Amino acid sequence: MIVSTSEAPARPATGPAILDDVLAELAVRREEFRDQKFVSRDFVARLKEAGIYRAATPRRFGGEPQAPADFLRTVEKISVVDGSTGWVASFGSALVYLAALPLETQAQLYADGPDVVFAGGLFPVQPAAEVDGGLQLDGRWKFASGCMGADVLGVGIPGDASTAGKPRTALLRPEQVEIVQDWDVAGMRGTGSFDLVVRGAVVPHEWTFIRGGEPMVDEPLYRYPTIAYAAQVLAVVGAGVARAALDYAVETGAGRAGITGAPKLADRPYYRTAVAQAEADLRSARAYFYEVTEQVWATVLRGDPATAEQNAHLRLAAAHIASTSASVVNRIIEISGTAAIFNGHPLQQWAGDALVPQQHAFLGPGLIDAAGAVFMGQPPTVPGFH
């Protein structure tokens, strides 16, 4: 099963210059993506040019793996312009999962180049029957964010004795999968988080892996806590959205008077106070988030495994920044007056977008309890916390 990524000639990533061009284009096209409910495939190709989809590809296969904090800052920057596109770009990190595939399989996966877009609808886990040639899949899976632009798709199947009961992910070519475009949500409307339907496709065993399983590649990025990283890339989207809302509040407050003729917002003490507090809250959450990311990365680079406490800090910081980001956007809405109640107001979009990371299973309030348990020497209270 060889995945082709050569739909368009790939230009080598050249860092910030390419990304700045991509962000300028995104500012023009974000409404297009929200209206059609997915990021167009040609724009995913632009994200490839910016290096998003080689940032977690093993160096041995031509990738340019980035330190987690560097990738997170890039996703945050994209999310300031559009949360949905930031969410889709965040799955450039998901190739860390694929490091658990056999090396021969990975060599085939990257045969056409390191810029591979992986999307998955992993739940609910669906049965897979043992047949000649591998596992036969039938079922429907939800929340396959970015699937419209993917080069390879994953679906969740049961584990077995060799996986200690943990579910596996099976990889398929896009032509083996039907995408059901039923994404109808208030936030992250452009993520294309559609359902995947598979009918009778056979997947060889070597094209399946345990999510967060032992990597077959010995490079630093694949020793960083995998599930924690998956939570971080989603949480930082919320931070980008909150930054957009805060920037809007400052710009609008300085220039707009109320509909009733009341003083402009910046002349009102409650408005200034709320914006300043929101700024402090977001920056504080970001400082913790990036501080622990850098600390754990330094541990990994020394050749040491991340400790249980370090993993707990990563999970806690991710949940905290997701919650704080949603709170910041809601606070800006509260002080923005009547204008914010209208459909089409940018704050309504940011409110919906900021809600999604906070609601994700990786980032809910249960993760805070689990982190507290680890800090106190108890087992984590959430399955799959490590």
Short mmCIF file of all heavy atoms in Angstrom, two decimals, residues 209-235:
data_model
loop_
_atom_site.label_atom_id
_atom_site.label_comp_id
_atom_site.label_asym_id
_atom_site.label_seq_id
_atom_site.Cartn_x
_atom_site.Cartn_y
_atom_site.Cartn_z
N PHE A 209 -1.46 -0.11 13.58
CA PHE A 209 -0.57 0.25 14.68
C PHE A 209 -1.39 0.60 15.90
O PHE A 209 -2.59 0.89 15.82
CB PHE A 209 0.33 1.43 14.29
CG PHE A 209 -0.42 2.72 14.03
CD1 PHE A 209 -0.65 3.62 15.05
CD2 PHE A 209 -0.92 3.00 12.76
CE1 PHE A 209 -1.36 4.80 14.82
CE2 PHE A 209 -1.63 4.17 12.53
CZ PHE A 209 -1.85 5.07 13.55
N ILE A 210 -0.74 0.60 17.06
CA ILE A 210 -1.35 1.06 18.30
C ILE A 210 -1.09 2.55 18.42
O ILE A 210 0.07 3.00 18.32
CB ILE A 210 -0.75 0.34 19.52
CG1 ILE A 210 -0.90 -1.17 19.40
CG2 ILE A 210 -1.40 0.84 20.81
CD1 ILE A 210 -0.14 -1.94 20.47
N ARG A 211 -2.13 3.33 18.62
CA ARG A 211 -1.94 4.77 18.80
C ARG A 211 -1.17 5.01 20.09
O ARG A 211 -1.59 4.60 21.17
CB ARG A 211 -3.28 5.49 18.84
CG ARG A 211 -3.11 7.01 18.84
CD ARG A 211 -4.42 7.72 18.71
NE ARG A 211 -5.27 7.53 19.87
CZ ARG A 211 -6.34 8.29 20.15
NH1 ARG A 211 -6.68 9.25 19.33
NH2 ARG A 211 -7.07 8.06 21.21
N GLY A 212 -0.02 5.68 19.96
CA GLY A 212 0.85 5.87 21.11
C GLY A 212 1.70 4.66 21.40
O GLY A 212 2.34 4.59 22.47
N GLY A 213 1.75 3.70 20.45
CA GLY A 213 2.54 2.49 20.65
C GLY A 213 4.03 2.76 20.55
O GLY A 213 4.48 3.84 20.16
N GLU A 214 4.81 1.77 20.88
CA GLU A 214 6.27 1.89 20.87
C GLU A 214 6.77 2.26 19.48
O GLU A 214 6.48 1.58 18.50
CB GLU A 214 6.90 0.57 21.30
CG GLU A 214 8.39 0.63 21.55
CD GLU A 214 8.73 1.45 22.79
OE1 GLU A 214 7.88 1.56 23.69
OE2 GLU A 214 9.87 1.98 22.84
N PRO A 215 7.50 3.37 19.35
CA PRO A 215 7.96 3.78 18.02
C PRO A 215 9.06 2.86 17.51
O PRO A 215 9.90 2.37 18.28
CB PRO A 215 8.48 5.20 18.25
CG PRO A 215 8.87 5.23 19.68
CD PRO A 215 7.90 4.33 20.39
N MET A 216 9.06 2.65 16.20
CA MET A 216 10.11 1.88 15.55
C MET A 216 11.27 2.78 15.11
O MET A 216 12.28 2.29 14.62
CB MET A 216 9.54 1.15 14.34
CG MET A 216 8.45 0.14 14.67
SD MET A 216 9.07 -1.28 15.64
CE MET A 216 8.46 -0.85 17.28
N VAL A 217 11.09 4.08 15.25
CA VAL A 217 12.09 5.07 14.86
C VAL A 217 12.73 5.64 16.11
O VAL A 217 12.04 6.10 17.02
CB VAL A 217 11.44 6.21 14.04
CG1 VAL A 217 12.48 7.27 13.68
CG2 VAL A 217 10.79 5.66 12.77
N ASP A 218 14.06 5.63 16.14
CA ASP A 218 14.77 6.15 17.30
C ASP A 218 15.25 7.56 17.00
O ASP A 218 16.42 7.79 16.66
CB ASP A 218 15.94 5.24 17.66
CG ASP A 218 16.63 5.66 18.95
OD1 ASP A 218 16.01 6.41 19.73
OD2 ASP A 218 17.79 5.26 19.16
N GLU A 219 14.33 8.51 17.12
CA GLU A 219 14.65 9.92 16.98
C GLU A 219 13.95 10.66 18.12
O GLU A 219 12.92 10.19 18.63
CB GLU A 219 14.19 10.46 15.62
CG GLU A 219 14.92 9.84 14.44
CD GLU A 219 14.44 10.38 13.09
OE1 GLU A 219 13.80 11.46 13.07
OE2 GLU A 219 14.71 9.73 12.06
N PRO A 220 14.46 11.81 18.55
CA PRO A 220 13.93 12.46 19.77
C PRO A 220 12.43 12.71 19.76
O PRO A 220 11.76 12.51 20.78
CB PRO A 220 14.72 13.77 19.83
CG PRO A 220 16.01 13.46 19.16
CD PRO A 220 15.66 12.51 18.05
N LEU A 221 11.86 13.16 18.63
CA LEU A 221 10.45 13.53 18.63
C LEU A 221 9.55 12.37 19.03
O LEU A 221 8.50 12.56 19.64
CB LEU A 221 10.04 14.06 17.25
CG LEU A 221 8.60 14.54 17.13
CD1 LEU A 221 8.30 15.67 18.11
CD2 LEU A 221 8.30 14.99 15.70
N TYR A 222 9.97 11.14 18.71
CA TYR A 222 9.12 9.98 18.96
C TYR A 222 9.30 9.45 20.38
O TYR A 222 8.65 8.47 20.76
CB TYR A 222 9.39 8.92 17.88
CG TYR A 222 9.40 9.58 16.54
CD1 TYR A 222 10.59 9.86 15.88
CD2 TYR A 222 8.21 10.07 15.99
CE1 TYR A 222 10.61 10.55 14.70
CE2 TYR A 222 8.22 10.77 14.80
CZ TYR A 222 9.41 11.02 14.16
OH TYR A 222 9.43 11.74 12.99
N ARG A 223 10.15 10.13 21.16
CA ARG A 223 10.26 9.83 22.59
C ARG A 223 9.52 10.85 23.44
O ARG A 223 9.41 10.70 24.66
CB ARG A 223 11.74 9.76 22.99
CG ARG A 223 12.50 8.64 22.30
CD ARG A 223 13.86 8.40 22.95
NE ARG A 223 14.79 9.49 22.76
CZ ARG A 223 15.65 9.58 21.75
NH1 ARG A 223 15.68 8.64 20.82
NH2 ARG A 223 16.48 10.61 21.66
N TYR A 224 9.05 11.91 22.82
CA TYR A 224 8.20 12.89 23.51
C TYR A 224 6.83 12.24 23.74
O TYR A 224 6.33 11.50 22.88
CB TYR A 224 8.07 14.13 22.63
CG TYR A 224 7.41 15.33 23.27
CD1 TYR A 224 8.14 16.22 24.04
CD2 TYR A 224 6.06 15.59 23.07
CE1 TYR A 224 7.54 17.34 24.61
CE2 TYR A 224 5.45 16.70 23.62
CZ TYR A 224 6.19 17.57 24.40
OH TYR A 224 5.59 18.67 24.96
N PRO A 225 6.16 12.49 24.87
CA PRO A 225 4.88 11.80 25.16
C PRO A 225 3.83 12.02 24.07
O PRO A 225 3.37 13.14 23.83
CB PRO A 225 4.45 12.44 26.49
CG PRO A 225 5.73 12.86 27.13
CD PRO A 225 6.61 13.33 26.00
N THR A 226 3.47 10.95 23.40
CA THR A 226 2.67 11.03 22.18
C THR A 226 1.26 11.55 22.44
O THR A 226 0.79 12.45 21.73
CB THR A 226 2.59 9.64 21.52
OG1 THR A 226 3.92 9.16 21.29
CG2 THR A 226 1.84 9.71 20.20
N ILE A 227 0.57 10.98 23.40
CA ILE A 227 -0.82 11.38 23.64
C ILE A 227 -0.87 12.80 24.20
O ILE A 227 -1.76 13.60 23.85
CB ILE A 227 -1.51 10.39 24.59
CG1 ILE A 227 -1.45 8.97 24.02
CG2 ILE A 227 -2.97 10.80 24.81
CD1 ILE A 227 -2.07 8.82 22.64
N ALA A 228 0.10 13.16 25.04
CA ALA A 228 0.15 14.53 25.53
C ALA A 228 0.34 15.51 24.38
O ALA A 228 -0.28 16.58 24.34
CB ALA A 228 1.28 14.69 26.55
N TYR A 229 1.19 15.17 23.43
CA TYR A 229 1.42 16.04 22.27
C TYR A 229 0.15 16.18 21.45
O TYR A 229 -0.20 17.28 20.99
CB TYR A 229 2.55 15.44 21.42
CG TYR A 229 3.13 16.38 20.38
CD1 TYR A 229 3.10 17.76 20.52
CD2 TYR A 229 3.76 15.86 19.25
CE1 TYR A 229 3.66 18.60 19.57
CE2 TYR A 229 4.32 16.68 18.29
CZ TYR A 229 4.27 18.05 18.44
OH TYR A 229 4.81 18.87 17.50
N ALA A 230 -0.59 15.09 21.30
CA ALA A 230 -1.86 15.15 20.58
C ALA A 230 -2.84 16.10 21.25
O ALA A 230 -3.61 16.80 20.57
CB ALA A 230 -2.47 13.75 20.48
N ALA A 231 -2.82 16.15 22.58
CA ALA A 231 -3.67 17.10 23.31
C ALA A 231 -3.17 18.53 23.13
O ALA A 231 -3.96 19.46 22.95
CB ALA A 231 -3.72 16.73 24.78
N GLN A 232 -1.86 18.70 23.15
CA GLN A 232 -1.29 20.04 23.05
C GLN A 232 -1.62 20.72 21.71
O GLN A 232 -1.92 21.91 21.67
CB GLN A 232 0.22 19.97 23.22
CG GLN A 232 0.69 19.70 24.64
CD GLN A 232 2.20 19.78 24.72
OE1 GLN A 232 2.92 18.94 24.20
NE2 GLN A 232 2.69 20.83 25.38
N VAL A 233 -1.51 19.98 20.63
CA VAL A 233 -1.71 20.61 19.32
C VAL A 233 -3.14 21.10 19.14
O VAL A 233 -3.40 22.06 18.41
CB VAL A 233 -1.30 19.68 18.16
CG1 VAL A 233 0.18 19.34 18.23
CG2 VAL A 233 -2.15 18.42 18.09
N LEU A 234 -4.09 20.43 19.81
CA LEU A 234 -5.47 20.88 19.75
C LEU A 234 -5.70 22.07 20.68
O LEU A 234 -6.39 23.03 20.33
CB LEU A 234 -6.41 19.73 20.11
CG LEU A 234 -6.31 18.49 19.22
CD1 LEU A 234 -7.28 17.41 19.70
CD2 LEU A 234 -6.58 18.83 17.77
N ALA A 235 -5.12 21.99 21.87
CA ALA A 235 -5.32 23.06 22.84
C ALA A 235 -4.79 24.39 22.33
O ALA A 235 -5.40 25.45 22.55
CB ALA A 235 -4.63 22.69 24.15
#
